Amino acid sequence: IGSTVKPGQLSRPRNRAWAHLYSGDFPRASEAFAAYLPTAPGDWESHYGAAIAHHYRGRHDSVVVHLRVVADSARGRVLRTANY
């Protein structure tokens, strides 16, 4: 029985992006995060992963964009949990 399923086709896009990052395949990690993040713009952890991938590719302008999302998310979490 032949299979028409390509490797990685059934895994979640977020998991594929992180797998590429962990394996050191930074170009594919960047592509995978770019495909995934529009579907989950509030996923600050994946924005951090994208920043790392872009850093190792020398795309520092993209690093700044993603780290701003991480910082804004952290700021929002702090404000929501503060008991003033």
Side-chain angles (χ1 to χ4, degrees):
I1 298 174
S3 175
T4 59
V5 177
K6 296 177 184 175
Q9 188 173 359
L10 299 179
S11 63
R12 295 182 177 176
R14 181 181 197 267
N15 295 348
R16 278 197 304 273
W18 282 101
H20 291 309
L21 184 65
Y22 288 139
S23 71
D25 189 349
F26 305 119
R28 289 183 74 187
S30 294
E31 291 171 9
F33 281 119
Y36 166 69
L37 283 170
T39 68
D43 183 352
W44 66 268
E45 291 171 326
S46 291
H47 278 284
Y48 182 70
I52 293 169
H54 286 299
H55 166 74
Y56 283 108
R57 296 184 71 198
R59 296 184 172 179
H60 301 293
D61 55 337
S62 295
V63 172
V64 171
V65 169
H66 288 289
L67 289 181
R68 282 187 179 151
V69 173
V70 173
D72 290 346
S73 177
R75 198 172 298 117
R77 286 191 309 275
V78 168
L79 292 176
R80 283 192 301 272
T81 59
N83 293 321
Y84 292 106

